[in-house]
Amino acid sequence: MSGTSAMGSPFDLANDAAYRAWRDEKLANFPKSAAELIVEVGNIGAVTAAERAAIVELNARANMAIYRCRSHCDDPATVRQRLRAFAGIFGLRHLEAHRSMDEEGLVALEVVREGGRHGFIPYTDKPIRWHTDGYYNPPEAPIRAMLLHCVRPAAEGGENGLFDPEIAYIRLRDRDPALVKALMHPGAMAIPEHVEPDGSTRPRATGPVFSVDPVTDRLLMRFTERKRNIDWRDGDETTAAVAALRDILQSDDPLLFRYRLGAGEGVICNNVLHDRTGFVDDHRPGRTRLYFRARYIDRIEVRSAAAA
């Protein structure tokens, strides 16, 4: 539904017929609420063919699904052991080498008050603006998929916004194809060089916001709404395009979903746009907010449930 077809690529700005056909099908099949994204999963350690098929089908339609696990999914030790195999069922096997990942390839997202993670916003209780994961990576090393699992929610707050990049693309192209053209420029967005806590250097990363993945022919997006340490390409076209995208993300678009994950719930997606509201933690031992995150170079596979 979302790659090159006999009509050509829907992401070719010169091919309006392919775009219109893809757009109409995408919007006709898109879920109408966050509730439609939820799939009940009995045990992430023993996913059934029907559960897998439902999660794959939602990712084919919306690039995301919310799973709700009913067994042992709020126990950190059990979740650590099972999440990587769970992701592998959907073709997610090649992890990003993240500095904070544990031996299972997971990053624990929790409030940290000292150490190497201290001060980085995912490890605070502050709001996080709209972004795709790995937006600071160079275009040749994209994050295609991610998994976010809630072990313990915050006492209050911590709600996520979820927005399919393909819908963002549609909203912009329908306004004016020139907006998309500006964000597809190879120099549209740059993240400056950064020195990591271990002394290593993450080089400057420059690339487009929207691009077509040469591996999958699907749409890729790298974006952050951050205001500091970001360099946008000079020019009225880029300024207008970024303003239009921010306007869409702050709107009441009916296909922009907000959802607060509960214990044992998670999002498995093709790196959709997401944000997070600030939260208030329960500071008692064993009650603090804890999420696990894994980022993948792979995209979620769409294949028959019988092959699972």
Side-chain angles (χ1 to χ4, degrees), residues 11 139 142 144 211-220 297 299:
F11 310 119
R144 294 185 176 89
S211 61
V212 179
D213 188 349
V215 175
T216 66
D217 288 329
R218 303 291 291 263
L219 188 73
L220 290 173
I297 298 168
R299 186 179 177 88

Side-chain angles (χ1 to χ4, degrees), residues 35 60 121 162 185 219:
I121 198 160
L162 301 168
H185 190 281
L219 188 73

Side-chain angles (χ1 to χ4, degrees), residues 12-250:
D12 179 355
L13 291 173
N15 191 339
D16 196 58
Y19 168 67
R20 290 292 165 186
W22 167 81
R23 171 196 181 279
D24 292 348
E25 184 181 3
K26 174 85 178 181
L27 293 177
N29 289 289
F30 203 83
K32 300 302 185 288
S33 68
E36 290 186 42
L37 297 174
I38 299 172
V39 177
E40 299 281 347
V41 175
N43 184 344
I44 58 171
V47 177
T48 68
E51 291 165 350
R52 181 195 176 279
I55 289 172
V56 167
E57 189 262 346
L58 280 165
N59 271 279
R61 292 166 55 202
N63 281 310
M64 56 184 147
I66 297 170
Y67 62 87
R68 178 179 291 156
C69 182
R70 297 189 298 271
S71 176
H72 303 297
C73 287
D74 56 355
D75 174 66
T78 301
V79 170
R80 282 183 185 275
Q81 294 170 2
R82 295 180 178 177
L83 268 186
R84 190 164 178 181
F86 173 71
I89 294 170
F90 303 96
L92 305 182
R93 301 181 182 90
H94 300 95
L95 285 155
E96 175 198 38
H98 193 277
R99 64 177 178 270
S100 299
M101 63 194 291
D102 62 18
E103 64 276 6
E104 299 296 337
L106 306 175
V107 174
L109 299 179
E110 57 192 335
V111 176
V112 174
R113 306 200 181 278
E114 59 184 17
R117 294 181 293 165
H118 176 62
F120 289 89
I121 198 160
Y123 311 105
T124 72
D125 56 10
K126 296 182 174 67
I128 300 177
R129 293 176 180 271
W130 285 101
H131 65 285
T132 57
D133 271 28
Y135 61 82
Y136 41 73
N137 288 8
E140 62 272 18
I143 300 300
R144 294 185 176 89
M146 62 164 289
L147 185 151
L148 188 66
H149 181 95
C150 176
V151 178
R152 294 187 300 266
E156 298 176 23
E159 179 186 65
N160 291 112
L162 301 168
F163 197 44
D164 184 351
E166 292 179 356
I167 298 297
Y169 177 95
I170 287 170
R171 299 305 194 221
L172 283 169
R173 186 160 171 175
D174 284 357
R175 282 194 187 193
D176 185 350
L179 300 172
V180 172
K181 182 179 180 181
L183 295 180
M184 294 187 89
H185 190 281
M189 186 182 88
I191 303 300
E193 179 182 272
H194 175 72
V195 179
E196 301 284 359
D198 63 3
S200 62
T201 300
R202 187 180 71 211
R204 181 180 178 88
T206 302
V209 172
F210 289 117
S211 61
V212 179
D213 188 349
V215 175
T216 66
D217 288 329
R218 303 291 291 263
L219 188 73
L220 290 173
M221 187 178 189
R222 57 186 289 272
F223 175 75
T224 173
E225 208 180 9
R226 68 196 283 182
K227 299 292 181 67
R228 296 186 299 170
N229 298 319
I230 182 169
D231 296 329
W232 290 103
R233 180 172 177 254
D234 288 339
D236 293 343
E237 300 89 350
T238 305
T239 300
V242 173
L245 179 53
R246 286 177 172 155
D247 180 59
I248 290 165
L249 292 171
Q250 301 305 322

Side-chain angles (χ1 to χ4, degrees), residues 229-300:
N229 298 319
I230 182 169
D231 296 329
W232 290 103
R233 180 172 177 254
D234 288 339
D236 293 343
E237 300 89 350
T238 305
T239 300
V242 173
L245 179 53
R246 286 177 172 155
D247 180 59
I248 290 165
L249 292 171
Q250 301 305 322
S251 73
D252 57 356
D253 192 300
L255 302 185
L256 187 160
F257 304 136
R258 302 214 66 90
Y259 190 81
R260 184 175 185 269
L261 293 173
E265 293 184 329
V267 177
I268 183 167
C269 68
N270 287 317
N271 199 7
V272 298
L273 286 154
H274 53 287
D275 71 356
R276 186 192 76 194
T277 63
F279 61 85
V280 177
D281 225 342
D282 184 333
H283 297 291
R284 289 175 291 177
R287 300 287 188 91
T288 56
R289 181 183 188 272
L290 175 62
Y291 280 51
F292 289 137
R293 184 193 68 206
R295 294 171 171 167
Y296 291 89
I297 298 168
D298 315 291
R299 186 179 177 88
I300 293 169

